[in-house]
Amino acid sequence: MTLNALVLLLLLAAVAAWAGRRRLASGMAGLALLLFLAAACGPLPSLLLHNLQAPYAGTVGGWASRNAIVLLGAGSTRVAPGAALEPPLLAYGRIVQAATLYHDCKASGQQCMLLVSGGDSQHHGMAEAAVYAPVLRRLGVPAQDLQLESRSMNTWQNAQFSRPLLQAYDPQKLVLVSSAIHLRRSMLYFTHFGLRPVPVHGDMVAAMLTAWPRSSNLALCDDALHEYLGIVQYHVYNVLGWNAPPVLAPLIPAVR
């Protein structure tokens, strides 16, 4: 995404130079350089990530009598041809956080269900939810308290397909676990479908402020921009009437 913007600016600079607009060409090239340095040296991704991640905590603040924890998938990976699918690096923070919250809930003496939401969006032959389930069981989450939503191909469908399963369970408190960078967009979608979860981050990411450009900063800038564009897309689709109608009656009247 950042690379596309840089290429576009450089192309515009080349066209302006070809047309004899040297001042405009210099301005476009300078803007491309400024954007590259702001992204690759850390200031731009740091700002974008702070606004996405800062509002979300890593705790719940108490449990109700009947609780549901929703864990959003983050893909799957195969480390070698023919090897079993495994959660990718970025999924483990979410998985451990969800298991930790489950055990905290059970230790309080309350009922708790852990719903893993994620289909086979990468076409690996197995849904993310099914890949994560054995890991969660090894972390002490029993099969009877584990439910899998294996159809969703994106965050929108995570919310859409989780709602009927949650409605059947009828929790008094709902918790949503994902990466901090992903929570704002996830909360927007879950709220659209009448779900009012407590957001809890499983991991956070941070850019590095450096004097020399870093590819990792560019990647984080792209990840942040992807989330912002998803938020903008949601609002544009609402205006155009392309989203499913919002569910006005919330599953849980208020966060408790």
Side-chain angles (χ1 to χ4, degrees):
M1 218 170 293
T2 308
L3 180 61
N4 291 340
L6 290 170
V7 169
L8 178 60
L9 287 171
L10 291 174
L11 285 175
L12 290 174
V15 170
W18 177 79
R21 305 288 297 275
R22 294 184 179 179
R23 184 173 296 179
L24 179 60
S26 297
M28 289 293 181
L31 186 58
L33 178 61
L34 181 63
L35 175 61
F36 173 74
L37 292 175
C41 293
L44 180 58
S46 293
L47 175 62
L48 295 175
L49 290 170
H50 175 76
N51 290 334
L52 283 172
Q53 298 183 121
Y56 302 110
T59 58
V60 171
W63 298 99
S65 298
R66 190 174 178 84
N67 307 274
I69 301 167
V70 179
L71 167 62
L72 299 187
S76 60
T77 187
R78 199 185 304 275
V79 296
L85 286 168
E86 298 181 16
L89 174 64
L90 292 178
Y92 276 99
R94 305 182 187 189
I95 293 171
V96 171
Q97 180 69 281
T100 301
L101 291 171
Y102 169 83
H103 289 299
D104 184 64
C105 177
K106 296 297 284 187
S108 71
Q110 311 304 327
Q111 295 184 54
C112 190
M113 181 265 285
L114 177 50
L115 172 63
V116 188
S117 178
D120 186 14
S121 60
Q122 297 169 289
H123 307 291
H124 285 165
M126 182 183 291
E128 296 166 17
V131 174
Y132 296 6
V135 181
L136 287 163
R137 287 198 292 270
R138 290 197 295 271
L139 291 172
V141 181
Q144 64 267 24
D145 287 343
L146 196 59
Q147 190 164 2
L148 308 183
E149 184 286 295
S150 303
R151 294 189 298 151
S152 55
M153 296 296 176
N154 49 49
T155 309
W156 178 263
Q157 290 183 353
N158 287 147
Q160 184 180 25
F161 297 153
S162 292
R163 180 181 167 86
L165 300 176
L166 293 168
Q167 195 165 17
Y169 182 74
D170 193 25
Q172 295 170 302
K173 184 165 189 172
L174 178 61
V175 178
L176 179 65
V177 178
S178 190
S179 301
I181 191 175
H182 186 228
L183 277 172
R184 178 176 292 184
R185 183 161 60 95
S186 301
M187 287 293 292
L188 193 65
Y189 296 171
F190 271 71
T191 301
H192 183 91
F193 288 100
L195 302 169
R196 304 289 190 272
V198 177
V200 178
H201 69 73
D203 60 78
M204 300 186 76
V205 291
M208 294 181 64
L209 296 175
T210 61
W212 190 256
R214 295 177 62 96
S215 59
S216 59
N217 284 337
L218 286 171
L220 287 173
C221 193
D222 276 359
D223 290 341
L225 288 172
H226 173 77
E227 295 301 318
Y228 283 111
L229 286 176
I231 293 168
V232 170
Q233 181 186 54
Y234 168 80
H235 291 295
V236 171
Y237 279 19
N238 267 351
V239 171
L240 296 175
W242 292 354
N243 283 335
V247 178
L248 300 179
L251 180 64
I252 302 171
V255 172
R256 285 173 282 187

